[in-house]
Amino acid sequence: MERFEERVLAACKELLAPGDRVIAAVSGGADSMALLQFLLEYKGALGVGVEAVHVDHRMRADSARDAAFVAKFCKKNGVPLHAFAAAAPPARPSEEWCRELRYGFFETLAGPGVKIATAHTLSDQAETLLLRLARGAGVRGAAGIPAVRGCYVRPMLGVAKAEAEDFCRRRGLAWVTDESNFSDDYARNRLRRHAMPAIEAACPGAEAAFGEFCARMGQLAQYLRGRGEHLLMSAAAGPGAWRLDALAAAPQTEREEALRILVEAERPLRKGDIPRLRALVERRAGAVQLTGRALLAVRGEVLERRRVTEHAAFEPVTAAPGEYRLPGGFGLRLRLVEGDDCEETIKFARTAKKTFDNCADYDKIGSSLCLRTRLPGDVFRPAGRNVDKTLKKLFNEKKVPPSRRGALPLLAAGGRVVWLWGEGFAHGLRPDEATRRLLVAEPFDREHGEEEE
């Protein structure tokens, strides 16, 4: 058995269980094609089912070629394929946007017995480590890409990208090449194309050494997590409450690890979280909001976790003039004003900015409207700004509580978000003197019928 097959098989035996549905994330590149081919060859020995998922970011003119390549391979080999394409990518999509799009769709496939396998290699691990260290990572960041995180498994972390390509050649397996990999527009590309070759030339075997370092840091991270969990258990003062004196008396490393655990139970850790929570424990007063539905607050001599009810999303519907009463306390009235009434309505709307923001030239929209909540990869171009923003980034800027984000109504036309609760219609849709059909969106409080401020 070749080294590639031996290492990947050993990893699969650790990461997968008989009966698992393994969904391989396949871009069409050499790494992901090697992963899918390997799983097909060894699915019997592993006792797993094999499927595939492909996400078309629509960043390149030839991205449809990649999607067709993957679809053809899956059809030929009888592999069930889950495909998703971005409806309206931003003008300059970032790596963050692409990742959010991919993993947002992957999450829709998750469920009991489902493992989503990604084709990250030892080469990706080395690049990730260097990028994180350059940005000031701690122990967890230095642990690199984990072999397993929730439903995600990465059985190829022990093999280099060159070995994956060699496996494809030995199998006579074709792959597609993303031309953007040869561009220096992205930090990872610059590292891969220039820094890593220089490091390997100076220190042969550096890539493998980086992988071993990540493994050691992963073990250290696990040890620290155990100490943090032990501190939380010993400091427990009831469900969701911990004694401040026990937290304050613990060694700083253990205390900060315990605070990290409390944050990560709600969301990923952010820069500044630990200093704010450390000050909370030291002052023995105050509160820190973690999400729209969770906060950590001091009450007496304990630190307690408090929760509020989270709003739910709703099923998409075709939007027509009328009134919509939606979950989460949201309501929306849509009016279509035509002909001679447009001018008078526009004149009245201009007297209040919020009202005017919720008016659009219906003919500029160009397709039928869907009333729904956000989907992975959704972007919005706020009026007057002429720049695309992912909804995640926009909600962060506007400090929209995470508990409300999944339920905020929006109007989409052909996959493009044209109206968003709290923002109004998108850039370029405002009515003018030539408008003959005016669409008016009137958001209101569903419970009280009051206009939204």
Side-chain angles (χ1 to χ4, degrees):
M1 183 181 291
E2 296 282 347
R3 179 180 180 275
F4 177 90
E5 291 92 322
E6 183 179 355
R7 290 206 170 188
V8 178
L9 182 59
C12 284
K13 288 179 177 178
E14 290 186 6
L15 300 173
L16 305 176
D20 279 347
R21 282 177 59 208
V22 184
I23 305 177
V26 183
S27 67
D31 298 348
S32 62
M33 292 304 296
L35 173 63
L36 181 55
Q37 178 66 31
F38 177 90
L39 290 172
L40 289 174
E41 291 183 20
Y42 288 89
K43 65 180 181 180
L46 295 168
V48 300
V50 177
E51 303 172 28
V53 56
H54 177 82
V55 174
D56 180 358
H57 304 90
R58 295 181 61 194
M59 291 171 53
R60 298 173 285 111
D62 60 353
S63 67
R65 173 209 65 177
D66 299 356
F69 174 83
V70 174
K72 182 179 179 180
F73 179 90
C74 289
K75 183 177 181 180
K76 178 181 177 181
N77 292 275
V79 180
L81 174 64
H82 309 270
F84 180 82
R92 293 182 61 84
S94 64
E95 290 179 277
E96 177 190 356
W97 178 84
C98 293
R99 176 181 169 80
E100 183 181 339
L101 180 75
R102 285 195 304 276
Y103 281 86
F105 183 62
F106 294 165
E107 289 296 329
T108 68
L109 305 176
V114 173
K115 299 288 177 60
I116 299 175
T118 68
H120 291 92
T121 65
L122 180 62
S123 307
D124 297 310
Q125 184 74 291
E127 294 161 8
T128 298
L129 171 65
L130 292 178
L131 284 170
R132 290 184 179 178
L133 290 178
R135 293 165 181 164
V139 171
R140 269 179 183 69
I145 306 168
V148 57
R149 178 177 62 83
C151 66
Y152 298 100
V153 294
R154 300 174 175 100
M156 288 172 48
L157 278 179
V159 294
K161 184 180 293 291
E163 293 177 274
E165 292 178 352
D166 178 66
F167 174 80
C168 289
R169 293 189 188 96
R170 286 189 283 112
R171 293 297 190 273
L173 194 64
W175 68 83
V176 295
T177 300
D178 183 347
E179 295 300 325
S180 67
N181 289 338
F182 301 108
S183 164
D184 285 347
D185 288 345
Y186 298 108
R188 185 176 289 271
N189 283 1
R190 294 194 294 273
L191 189 68
R192 179 181 300 148
R193 285 163 47 78
H194 306 296
M196 283 303 302
I199 292 173
E200 280 286 348
C203 303
E207 190 172 85
F210 288 148
E212 292 170 3
F213 177 78
C214 287
R216 291 196 298 273
M217 290 300 100
Q219 293 171 354
L220 178 56
Q222 288 181 357
Y223 169 78
L224 291 176
R225 187 168 190 88
R227 297 305 303 165
E229 290 171 345
H230 176 76
L231 174 57
L232 289 175
M233 286 189 291
S234 62
W242 299 270
R243 291 184 293 111
L244 286 169
D245 60 348
L247 294 174
Q252 179 178 326
T253 302
E254 293 184 17
R255 179 172 65 251
E256 293 187 355
E257 185 63 28
L259 296 174
R260 173 191 294 271
I261 292 170
L262 294 181
V263 173
E264 291 180 339
E266 306 298 332
R267 59 160 172 77
L269 191 76
R270 298 171 187 161
K271 185 177 181 180
D273 282 338
I274 296 303
R276 287 194 299 152
L277 289 171
R278 185 195 306 134
L280 198 69
V281 172
E282 292 171 353
R283 293 197 311 265
R284 303 199 175 201
V288 172
Q289 190 87 28
L290 299 180
T291 70
R293 61 187 178 90
L295 70 157
L296 290 171
V298 172
R299 182 176 61 85
E301 294 301 313
V302 300
L303 177 68
E304 65 178 16
R305 178 164 44 212
R306 299 177 187 169
R307 295 188 182 279
V308 296
T309 304
E310 185 174 8
H311 299 312
F314 57 87
E315 290 296 318
V317 296
T318 300
E323 183 170 295
Y324 299 86
R325 294 177 174 268
L326 307 168
F330 300 104
L332 179 65
R333 283 186 290 270
L334 292 177
R335 292 192 294 121
L336 186 60
V337 182
E338 300 186 79
D340 294 337
D341 293 333
C342 284
E343 184 178 351
E344 196 64 30
T345 304
I346 293 171
K347 186 184 299 183
F348 174 78
R350 289 183 187 276
T351 63
K353 181 180 183 303
K354 195 68 175 177
T355 303
F356 190 59
D357 286 345
N358 284 289
C359 294
D361 186 322
Y362 186 67
D363 294 311
K364 290 180 180 178
I365 293 174
S367 61
S368 60
L369 290 170
C370 174
L371 176 61
R372 61 171 173 83
T373 52
R374 67 172 177 168
L375 292 175
D378 273 342
V379 297
F380 182 71
R381 180 168 291 192
R385 298 178 67 178
N386 198 24
V387 59
D388 288 324
K389 294 265 186 187
T390 65
L391 294 193
K392 179 179 180 180
K393 183 170 289 187
L394 185 63
F395 290 157
N396 286 340
E397 289 179 0
K398 300 292 184 178
K399 294 182 168 51
V400 178
S403 62
R404 286 171 59 88
R405 297 179 185 186
L408 285 179
L410 61 85
L411 292 171
R416 178 172 55 106
V417 178
V418 298
W419 177 88
L420 179 63
W421 182 280
E423 290 294 315
F425 281 100
H427 183 81
L429 297 179
R430 280 186 171 173
D432 51 38
E433 61 278 359
T435 299
R436 303 308 298 163
R437 292 198 296 171
L438 179 71
L439 182 64
V440 182
E442 299 172 334
F444 66 92
D445 183 310
R446 183 171 62 82
E447 301 300 327
H448 303 99
E450 298 171 355
E451 296 300 317
E452 177 71 10
E453 293 298 329

